[in-house]
Structures are given as structure tokens and as C-alpha cells.
């Protein structure tokens, strides 16, 4: 496959038009790196199932139209809808721009600022991080102070609009939990508009010794829109992260979750549910590096696929030399509701240490005929029987979401998404 690159002059013009702040020198360095490397292509092992040609095309057309930034007014109704559904404290990033007045201050022990205010230069270790750093207007820095118990979840709403012209937006968030602190976060992605749109976001989460974070990511982008997203988590001694991701929307979605376990007795509990229908492509890549033991990690992802769609799950756990006492488990289960649905599932274990406990497995199947017959014999019609079985398949991920205040909303939107299959709209 040929390289996926963008016109350098037009991209440089878009970078130059961004706000003149402390990020400007970093943007130029990131721009040079992206122009050298371009978008990842299917020649790379980690990208062989996900082609970003459409993303490159949207980005080029956006540049050709002068790299417009839509008004935040167009997404006001969507923002209000999400606020009404989940009653927590929200910070809104609309079309890559942090909403005025939404990032200042914070409750006791919680500080919120922008990258430019702190002169925080985002890193760019990956090609898509190069693009993000080059086109980032500003980033969000959140710090939870030592021994702070922040009991009310903090919402991070990333909402984009593309009404008439193609759109591209970047978002970046760095969250730092200091020693002994505890906090909960809800990251919510949504989009509206009939034009093509590409969103590229990065979240970094750093947990100091003894810190605890509960994290829920919800992706409900418009079915015409695309997104690449990377979450990087670092765990120090005796820290714990409980993470759940839910992918229900978007045309092409790629999620990378990297967890680095760098301290003894750290724990990473990871769950994910992806539901895909006609025309959707959802790719989840998870990598957990155990650099020291004892430590524990669990991965459980489930997928429900209907219509002509394709999903990818790659779960990797790497036990580095000297990480004795590691306990790493991973599983992936997929329910195919159509003969036209396709799943590429790859569990991987790389073990370079002794005295470890590691396991992995994956399954792919269809609705059980015997279970369907049983439910219908008890008076349920075919649609209700299918709905009950698909609901039960995804329920274990929904019920284990680590934040209670989003549980009702998750149940509602998962039910809504599954109804498209059982009603024949996404078959």
C-alpha cells in the first residue's frame, strides 16, 4: 500500500493558523515528524486490518477547504442532551476547542488547567500523536492532589460537528493522580452533522503509588464519522485502574489502550463492549506491559456484530524479564448476528519471566438455537427472544462498569443500539 500523506504546505498553513501560545514550538516539531512518517498503513502489523485511507481523504479535503473550525453552537443540543443523561461535572471540548470557563479552578484537591497555561508540551511517540500535537489548539491538564478522595465523577465530553464541510478535530487530555488519591472519570465522544468528520484524540493517565482511578469511555459518534483514539495509562506501586470502554457508533473507529505496569502490586482491570452494524469498522488494540511483579491485569472484551461490518480485537499482555508473580488474564467473546459480519480476534501473551499465572482465550459464535427455542416456547416472539439473548451477552460488561452514576445511561444506550439488530434495521 502507498504511503498516506497530507500536502505539507496546506498542513503547515493550518498549523500556523492555530492560537499563538506555548505549544507553538512543539507543533512545528510534531509537524516535521508527521510529514516524514504520515498516517500508519496496512503494511504495519498493528494496522493490517484497519485502512486509514478514508481518514487521509477527509483530512485532505478539510485542508483544501481552509481547515475550517465549526461553531460550537451547532453542537449545543447534543451537549445539553448528554448533560441531562448523566448528572456529573462536565468539561466540554467542542471541535478541539476547550469551552470557555469550563476548565478553570476545581474543587479542593483538584486542579484543572490548559497545556498552554502550564507550558506542557505533549509528546509524539506515534504517527497519530504527531498529527495530534501538530494541530492541537490546546490541551487539558487535570491533577488530583495527594490523598484526595474526589467522589463526584468528572466528565470529559468531546463533541464535534461537521454540518456542510469536512471536519477534523484534535483533543488531548493529561490526568495525574498523586499518591494515595482516588477519582472517577467519564469520557464521552459524540458528533453530529452530515459532512464527513475525523476526530483524533489522546488521553494520558498517570497514577502515583497507592492511587485509584475508575474510568469509563463511551463512544457514540455519528455513523458517518471516523475516529482514532489512544489511551495511555501508567501504574506505579499499589495503584489500581478500573477501565471500561463502550463503542456504539462511528463508521471507522480505532482505539489503542496501552497500560504500563511499573510498580509492584499494581492492578489493571479492563473491560470493553463494541456493537457494530452495517458499514461499521471498530478496531480495539490493547497492550499491557508488566514490567515488575507481583502485579495483576485482566482484559475482557465482548463484541456484538450484525449486518455487513468488521471488528478487530487484539489483546496483548507482555510479561517482561524479572516480572515474577505476574497474574495476567485476557478473554474476548464475539456474537455474530449476520453471516456478513466479520471479526478478527487475536489474544497474545509474551512471557519472559518465571512463576507467572497467565491465560487467554477467544470465542466466536451465533445465537444458540436451543436457547432461542426455549425462550420462544415460554411465550416470547423471535425478536424478544433475540433481544433477551443479545442483552445477556453484553450485560456482564455493562454491569461491571466501575462508575454507578453512568449505569442507567449505559443500559439505555446499549438497549437502543441492540434494538436495531432485533428490529431488522442493522441486520
Amino acid at each position: 500500500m502507498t504511503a498516506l500523506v497530507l500536502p505539507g504546505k496546506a498542513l503547515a498553513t493550518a498549523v500556523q493558523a492555530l492560537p499563538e501560545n506555548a505549544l507553538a514550538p512543539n507543533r512545528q516539531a510534531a509537524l516535521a515528524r508527521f510529514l516524514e512518517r504520515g498516517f500508519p498503513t496496512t503494511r504495519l502489523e498493528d494496522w493490517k486490518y484497519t485502512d486509514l485511507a478514508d481518514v487521509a481523504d477527509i483530512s485532505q479535503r478539510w485542508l483544501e477547504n481552509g481547515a475550517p473550525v465549526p461553531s460550537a453552537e451547532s453542537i449545543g443540543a447534543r451537549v445539553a442532551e448528554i448533560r441531562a443523561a448523566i448528572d456529573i461535572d462536565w468539561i466540554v471540548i467542542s471541535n478541539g476547542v476547550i469551552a470557555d470557563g469550563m476548565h478553570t479552578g476545581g474543587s479542593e484537591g483538584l486542579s484543572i488547567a490548559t497545556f498552554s497555561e502550564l507550558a506542557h508540551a505533549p509528546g509524539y511517540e506515534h504517527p497519530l500523536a504527531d498529527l495530534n500535537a501538530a494541530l492541537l489548539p490546546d490541551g487539558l491538564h487535570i491533577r488530583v492532589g495527594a490523598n484526595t478522595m474526589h467522589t463526584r465523577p468528572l466528565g470529559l465530553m468531546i463533541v464535534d460537528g461537521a454540518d456542510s464541510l469536512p471536519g477534523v478535530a484534535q483533543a488531548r487530555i493529561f490526568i495525574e493522580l498523586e499518591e494515595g488519591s482516588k477519582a472517577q472519570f467519564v469520557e464521552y465522544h459524540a458528533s453530529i452533522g452530515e459532512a464527513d468528520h475525523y476526530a483524533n484524540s489522546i488521553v494520558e493517565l498517570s497514577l502515583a503509588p497507592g492511587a485509584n482511578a475508575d474510568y469509563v469511555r463511551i463512544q457514540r459518534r455519528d455513523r458517518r464519522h471516523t475516529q482514532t483514539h489512544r489511551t495511555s495509562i501508567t501504574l506505579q506501586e499499589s495503584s489500581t485502574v478500573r477501565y471500561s470502554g463502550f463503542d456504539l457508533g462511528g463508521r471507522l473507529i480505532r482505539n489503542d489502550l496501552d497500560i504500563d505496569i511499573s510498580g509492584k502490586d499494581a492492578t489493571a482491570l479492563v473491560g470493553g463492549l463494541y456493537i457494530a452494524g452495517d458499514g461499521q469498522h471498530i478496531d480495539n488494540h490493547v497492550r499491557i506491559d508488566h514490567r515488575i511483579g507481583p502485579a495483576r491485569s485482566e482484559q475482557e472484551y465482548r463484541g456484538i456484530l450484525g449486518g455487513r461490518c468488521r471488528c478487530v480485537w487484539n489483546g496483548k499482555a507482555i510479561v517482561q524479564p524479572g516480572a515474577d508473580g505476574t497474574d495476567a488474564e485476557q478473554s474476548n467473546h464475539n456474537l455474530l448476528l449476520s453471516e456478513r459480519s466479520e471479526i478478527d480476534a487475536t489474544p497474545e501473551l509474551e512471557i519472559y519471566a518465571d512463576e507467572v499465572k497467565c491465560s487467554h482465550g477467544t470465542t466466536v459464535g451465533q445465537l444458540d438455537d436451543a436457547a432461542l427455542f426455549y425462550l420462544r416456547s415460554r411465550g416470547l416472539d423471535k425478536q424478544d427472544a433475540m433481544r433477551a439473548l443479545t442483552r445477556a451477552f453484553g450485560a456482564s460488561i455493562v454491569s461491571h462498569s466501575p462508575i454507578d452514576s453512568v449505569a442507567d445511561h449505559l443500559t439505555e444506550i446499549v438497549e437502543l443500539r441492540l434494538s436495531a439488530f432485533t428490529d431488522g434495521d442493522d441486520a
Side-chain angles (χ1 to χ4, degrees):
M1 181 181 180
T2 58
L4 296 176
V5 296
L6 296 177
K9 185 176 180 179
L11 189 56
T13 300
V15 172
Q16 194 66 33
L18 291 169
E20 185 63 33
N21 55 29
L23 274 62
N26 193 67
R27 291 189 193 118
Q28 294 300 324
L31 172 63
R33 286 173 62 93
F34 179 76
L35 290 176
E36 178 183 347
R37 299 199 284 182
F39 288 100
T41 71
T42 53
R43 290 178 296 183
L44 300 172
E45 181 66 22
D46 280 350
W47 289 89
K48 66 181 181 180
Y49 297 121
T50 299
D51 187 351
L52 294 183
D54 190 34
V55 164
D57 176 68
I58 294 170
S59 301
Q60 179 156 337
R61 288 187 283 122
W62 173 70
L63 291 171
E64 291 171 352
N65 282 285
V69 179
S71 167
E73 295 178 3
S74 64
I75 62 172
R78 194 76 174 93
V79 170
E81 176 188 323
I82 296 170
R83 286 183 182 277
I86 307 176
D87 182 22
I88 59 177
D89 298 326
W90 287 103
I91 299 173
V92 179
I93 302 176
S94 61
N95 297 309
V97 178
I98 302 168
D100 290 339
M102 295 301 301
H103 64 278
T104 55
S107 60
E108 184 177 354
L110 179 69
S111 64
I112 303 173
T114 62
F115 284 7
S116 59
E117 289 169 339
L118 302 176
H120 176 103
Y124 37 88
E125 298 177 356
H126 307 278
L128 294 176
D130 294 341
L131 181 65
N132 179 275
L135 290 173
L136 186 70
D138 212 337
L140 192 65
H141 187 285
I142 300 169
R143 181 179 61 82
V144 184
N147 300 312
T148 297
M149 302 293 139
H150 192 67
T151 55
R152 183 170 171 82
L154 181 62
L156 308 168
M157 193 190 310
I158 302 173
V159 187
D160 304 306
D163 294 329
S164 58
L165 296 173
V168 173
Q170 314 290 326
R172 192 145 186 171
I173 302 169
F174 182 84
I175 303 172
E176 180 182 8
L177 277 77
E178 294 187 345
E179 187 167 357
S181 62
K182 184 174 183 178
Q184 296 183 321
F185 302 91
V186 179
E187 176 189 328
Y188 205 118
H189 297 260
S191 63
I192 63 169
E194 296 184 0
D196 291 335
H197 190 277
Y198 166 51
N200 181 33
S201 53
I202 297 175
V203 174
E204 298 166 276
L205 187 61
S206 176
L207 277 70
N212 283 265
D214 294 335
Y215 205 100
V216 173
R217 178 187 58 81
I218 302 170
Q219 182 276 117
R220 293 186 71 203
R221 290 196 172 270
D222 187 277
R223 292 278 290 272
R224 290 162 291 200
H225 295 166
T226 62
Q227 175 178 313
T228 53
H229 180 72
R230 178 177 292 274
T231 303
S232 298
I233 302 173
T234 302
L235 299 176
Q236 299 295 332
E237 184 175 355
S238 299
S239 62
T240 298
V241 64
R242 297 193 300 165
Y243 177 99
S244 293
F246 299 87
D247 285 287
L248 309 179
R251 182 172 79 246
L252 183 149
I253 301 295
R254 166 65 181 242
N255 299 307
D256 284 275
L257 173 60
D258 294 338
I259 300 179
D260 192 297
I261 297 179
S262 301
K264 290 184 177 181
D265 298 313
T267 301
L269 305 177
V270 178
L273 176 66
Y274 46 93
I275 303 176
D278 259 345
Q280 287 187 274
H281 179 108
I282 300 176
D283 180 346
N284 280 284
H285 268 61
V286 184
R287 174 182 172 131
I288 301 181
D289 267 292
H290 286 264
R291 301 191 181 278
I292 192 170
R296 176 181 170 222
S297 71
E298 288 185 10
Q299 301 178 46
E300 182 183 1
Y301 275 72
R302 295 194 171 214
I304 301 173
L305 289 66
R308 187 181 296 277
C309 68
R310 186 175 192 178
C311 289
V312 181
W313 177 81
N314 182 283
K316 180 180 292 187
I318 303 174
V319 184
Q320 303 288 358
D324 296 339
T326 289
D327 184 348
E329 300 178 17
Q330 55 181 210
S331 64
N332 173 241
H333 305 288
N334 297 280
L335 180 62
L336 273 57
L337 302 178
S338 168
E339 295 180 353
R340 300 179 299 162
S341 302
E342 183 177 354
I343 175 71
D344 297 289
T346 310
E348 297 183 56
L349 287 173
E350 295 183 19
I351 302 173
Y352 305 102
D354 299 322
E355 298 181 15
V356 300
K357 180 183 177 183
C358 299
S359 64
H360 66 77
T362 185
T363 61
V364 178
Q366 298 177 326
L367 289 175
D368 184 75
D369 288 337
L372 277 172
F373 177 81
Y374 175 80
L375 290 176
R376 298 193 68 181
S377 71
R378 291 297 184 268
L380 274 68
D381 62 25
K382 183 178 181 180
Q383 286 186 340
D384 286 341
M386 290 178 60
R387 187 177 291 114
L389 292 177
T390 53
R391 184 192 301 123
F393 183 83
S396 64
I397 303 298
V398 175
S399 64
H400 285 91
S401 169
I403 301 178
D404 292 340
S405 54
V406 300
D408 289 344
H409 181 63
L410 278 173
T411 299
E412 179 184 344
I413 62 177
V414 168
E415 290 273 1
L416 181 65
R417 188 68 189 90
L418 291 177
S419 68
F421 298 129
T422 54
D423 295 343
D425 297 332
D426 237 333

